[in-house]
Amino acid sequence: MAVYKLKTPISEEEIRKLQVNDVIYISGTVVTARDQAHRRALEYFKEGKPLPVNLEGLAVYHCGPAVKREDDKWVIVSAGPTTSTRMEIFEDEFIEKFKVRVIIGKGGMGPKTTEAMKKYGAVYAAFTGGAGALAAKSIKRLISLEWEDLGIPEALWILEVEDFGPLVIAIDSHGNNIFESVMKQVEANKQKVYEKLGI
Amino acid sequence: MKKPLFKLDEQVYEGVHGELTESILNVKCIRLKPNNMLLTREEKSVITSEKIEDLAVKLLKLAVTELPPDVKNALKRAYEEETSEAGKTQLQAILENVEYAEKTRTPMCQDTGTIIFYIKAGVNAKGLDLFEEALRKATQRATREVPLRPNAVNPFTQKNSGDNTGRFIPFIHWKLVPGETIELTVFPKGGGSENVCTLGMLVPGEGVKGLKRFIVDAVVKAGSKPCPPNIIGVGVGGGADISMKLAKEALLRPLDQPNPDPEIAKLEKEIYEALNTIGIGPMGLGGKITVLGVNIEYAHRHPASYPAAVAFQCWAARRATARINPDGSVEFLTHKPI
């Protein structure tokens, strides 16, 4: 397990160095996107419309923050990750079209995303589910809020972060997926647990 | 400060004289305001809407920003006992997050949950009729002030009410108990762990064996989704609704309090230890600690049914309880007051 500090924009070369179980901290620009934002971004691409932010080399964060309004400004109060599997239907295309290098979320993603990460050079980095206060602490500034019409959790929150982490590389760009290997092991362990409990 | 006035027949007693009159003659005087005016109904009852609302806002704030001591201790112990590196990074981040949230009084998780209240109401307590409205107002106020993420969505129009209230929400579970005190618990319940809660109508002939398998399968199926390490609440018997209600109530029991029935306590420990060899680990990244505890509650079952419910609680096991005494004084049972 190695620890890396990465700055956006992140190059493909930097991504290819990373292995599952490595820990990274990201500084620079992170953009939140959930189901609706993924869908719209891909529609924009099809229609040839530019996105409000160029995502190349950036990190996309599966997150719907808790926010409050203070003196006409948005303050991000708590910003932990949401369950990533909901974005599985979009993510391979999203990585291919926008050259995003890091997807941050919780709970892992499936084989389509793993394959796209291998092909185009991206990683899935798990941030601790529920650690919303810790995430908010590393957010230095809200660069801009886009697609507000999608609602607070679904909008694009373009954030400047400093040492955002620890993020565990759970899917690397070499086809390894921790969540898949863990669940395979768990299925095997289940029989032993049954025995232990006299089932 | 002016002394309270007590009126008995036409005689008015001041302060301690009034109290003595009451206790010696074993009568109840009428309380007067200092200007000799009669008290209104609301003032006579020391429990007012405002008092309940303020208390509930405080409890909500405490719950979402600070874990109760038993959960904090369990997480610390989990960090010590975890053997996988990935698991340890997760538990360390959780502990840092918990500490930071408490210090800054910000919600530890952005999903501040569906707002649920449990009330143990003394049948002779005053002001019980005030709770429903006061708790609704408190939820709206806490949403603005803490703040909480608006999490109440109409299931047919998909419209978010924006203030965490809606039809039946916040939900209040009432339980009548003897006496005059009221115990109020807030239980904000996150969506990720709620999504894997499961109910099974098991085969009675399989008995406890079937129950154990049902619990293990539920935990394996849930995998990384409920933000492990989890607390597993198990409810058995009664009926479909009763078993799930018991499973949820089991989540309210502190982790350092095993079931008072030694046989059930033994089963809790056995399942807890077995689940921590299954390997899901913190956040599903693999490791030893998959659960922080297993709490079981049961009711007797119908001979033909074996209802079993498994309720999942994420590591952010947020709850806060206070007791309201008959004199209106408040004791915080899970947290230091703010």
Side-chain angles (χ1 to χ4, degrees):
Chain A
M1 180 195 107
V3 178
Y4 296 94
K5 291 201 169 191
L6 301 178
K7 256 199 167 68
T8 65
I10 302 166
S11 68
E12 184 177 347
E13 195 192 342
E14 284 175 287
I15 290 299
R16 295 283 180 196
K17 273 197 305 200
L18 302 172
Q19 308 283 339
V20 283
N21 277 320
D22 285 349
V23 171
I24 59 170
Y25 291 84
I26 293 182
S27 295
T29 308
V30 168
V31 182
T32 71
R34 294 170 47 126
D35 319 48
Q36 298 305 324
H38 275 76
R39 184 194 303 266
R40 184 179 288 183
L42 290 171
E43 277 167 13
Y44 270 38
F45 186 86
K46 220 182 257 171
E47 293 162 13
K49 284 204 290 198
L51 299 188
V53 56
N54 177 8
L55 293 172
E56 192 171 338
L58 302 187
V60 160
Y61 185 19
H62 298 154
C63 166
V67 295
K68 68 174 169 186
R69 208 69 179 156
E70 243 171 39
D71 306 328
D72 271 356
K73 274 190 184 157
W74 288 109
V75 178
I76 315 268
V77 178
S78 198
T82 191
T83 304
S84 296
T85 45
R86 294 199 315 272
M87 273 59 79
E88 176 71 9
I89 51 171
F90 307 112
E91 213 68 276
D92 56 339
E93 207 183 336
F94 201 85
I95 292 165
E96 181 193 346
K97 303 289 196 283
F98 303 118
K99 300 188 177 61
V100 174
R101 293 286 173 219
V102 183
I103 303 290
I104 305 167
K106 78 168 168 99
M109 299 193 76
K112 265 170 67 186
T113 302
T114 310
E115 194 49 43
M117 288 182 160
K118 192 175 165 186
K119 198 162 166 193
Y120 304 106
V123 291
Y124 176 83
F127 186 65
T128 312
L134 194 64
K137 191 181 165 188
S138 65
I139 296 170
K140 292 301 140 194
R141 184 168 75 90
L142 171 64
I143 299 169
S144 71
L145 169 61
E146 306 289 343
W147 296 352
E148 203 179 331
D149 60 299
L150 293 179
I152 296 296
E154 298 286 340
L156 292 181
W157 296 81
I158 303 170
L159 308 167
E160 185 186 315
V161 299
E162 195 180 312
D163 287 335
F164 179 33
L167 305 165
V168 176
I169 303 300
I171 305 174
D172 63 19
S173 62
H174 314 288
N176 302 306
N177 183 334
I178 294 188
F179 289 98
E180 270 177 19
S181 48
V182 165
M183 284 321 283
K184 247 182 229 159
Q185 187 59 49
V186 167
E187 278 299 330
N189 292 345
K190 199 166 86 170
Q191 293 309 320
K192 282 184 236 160
V193 170
Y194 280 168
E195 278 166 35
K196 224 174 262 169
L197 291 171
I199 300 170
Chain B
M1 214 177 83
K2 282 192 176 152
K3 289 175 185 160
L5 298 174
F6 297 76
K7 190 176 176 199
L8 184 63
D9 299 329
E10 286 312 303
Q11 185 70 44
V12 174
Y13 304 92
E14 205 184 54
V16 70
H17 302 290
E19 284 168 28
L20 279 171
T21 308
E22 280 193 329
S23 64
I24 293 165
L25 299 177
N26 197 21
V27 292
K28 213 66 179 155
C29 298
I30 297 168
R31 301 290 199 279
L32 298 181
K33 288 187 197 173
N35 59 5
N36 270 14
M37 292 289 289
L38 282 169
L39 291 173
T40 61
R41 182 177 162 271
E42 184 94 318
E43 285 165 324
K44 246 191 274 177
S45 148
V46 279
I47 300 165
T48 62
S49 301
E50 290 72 29
K51 226 181 222 179
I52 300 165
E53 187 186 316
D54 285 348
L55 176 61
V57 171
K58 274 185 196 166
L59 286 174
L60 278 164
K61 183 164 188 167
L62 281 169
V64 300
T65 60
E66 180 184 344
L67 289 176
D70 61 292
V71 181
K72 267 196 256 179
N73 289 339
L75 285 168
K76 281 179 202 156
R77 206 171 46 241
Y79 176 76
E80 297 303 324
E81 288 176 12
E82 181 53 65
T83 44
S84 92
E85 259 183 299
K88 249 187 150 60
T89 57
Q90 299 307 297
L91 287 162
Q92 193 180 349
I94 287 171
L95 289 172
E96 266 175 48
N97 181 68
V98 166
E99 195 181 319
Y100 183 72
E102 185 175 331
K103 201 173 79 189
T104 54
R105 284 283 165 221
T106 48
M108 64 189 82
C109 178
Q110 76 289 343
D111 180 3
T112 48
T114 295
I115 306 305
I116 311 286
F117 291 97
Y118 283 82
I119 304 177
K120 267 190 216 164
V123 283
N124 297 319
K126 291 202 181 86
L128 294 179
D129 54 332
L130 305 171
F131 272 78
E132 194 126 351
E133 203 196 325
L135 294 182
R136 182 169 280 264
K137 280 190 188 157
T139 302
Q140 292 166 332
R141 221 177 91 196
T143 302
R144 290 191 306 271
E145 289 177 11
V146 176
L148 309 175
R149 194 175 73 179
N151 276 343
V153 178
N154 180 310
F156 295 102
T157 64
Q158 318 310 329
K159 198 174 172 301
N160 192 321
S161 72
D163 64 6
N164 273 311
T165 70
R167 186 167 161 82
F168 293 135
I169 298 293
F171 196 89
I172 305 174
H173 293 271
W174 287 93
K175 188 177 188 178
L176 286 175
V177 294
E180 287 181 81
T181 60
I182 303 163
E183 212 178 277
L184 176 64
T185 297
V186 298
F187 182 51
K189 184 66 172 61
S193 59
E194 193 65 9
N195 284 345
V196 290
C197 290
T198 177
L199 173 75
M201 304 307 281
L202 309 184
V203 182
E206 275 209 292
V208 179
K209 212 186 244 193
L211 174 67
K212 286 177 178 174
R213 190 192 304 114
F214 183 67
I215 298 168
V216 172
D217 290 354
V219 171
V220 169
K221 194 170 168 222
S224 65
K225 288 193 216 81
C227 284
N230 298 117
I231 302 172
I232 307 297
V234 180
V236 190
D241 57 336
I242 297 165
S243 61
M244 186 52 90
K245 188 175 162 64
L246 289 171
K248 285 294 189 71
E249 280 175 16
L251 296 177
L252 294 174
R253 170 147 53 87
L255 289 164
D256 48 14
Q257 284 175 26
N259 191 298
D261 178 333
E263 281 307 307
I264 307 294
K266 209 174 111 192
L267 186 63
E268 287 178 343
K269 189 161 179 274
E270 187 192 357
I271 297 172
Y272 161 77
E273 283 169 359
L275 288 176
N276 278 343
T277 61
I278 205 139
I280 295 169
M283 300 314 302
L285 288 167
K288 184 179 169 200
I289 310 295
T290 301
V291 297
L292 296 174
V294 176
N295 287 353
I296 304 175
E297 300 291 338
Y298 77 96
H300 278 59
R301 64 174 179 83
H302 184 281
S305 313
Y306 201 109
V310 180
F312 285 77
Q313 171 63 59
C314 59
W315 65 260
R318 292 156 286 181
R319 58 179 155 80
T321 305
R323 185 190 296 134
I324 306 168
N325 294 314
D327 65 356
S329 63
V330 168
E331 286 169 76
F332 287 79
L333 304 183
T334 47
H335 293 73
K336 282 200 197 100
I338 41 169

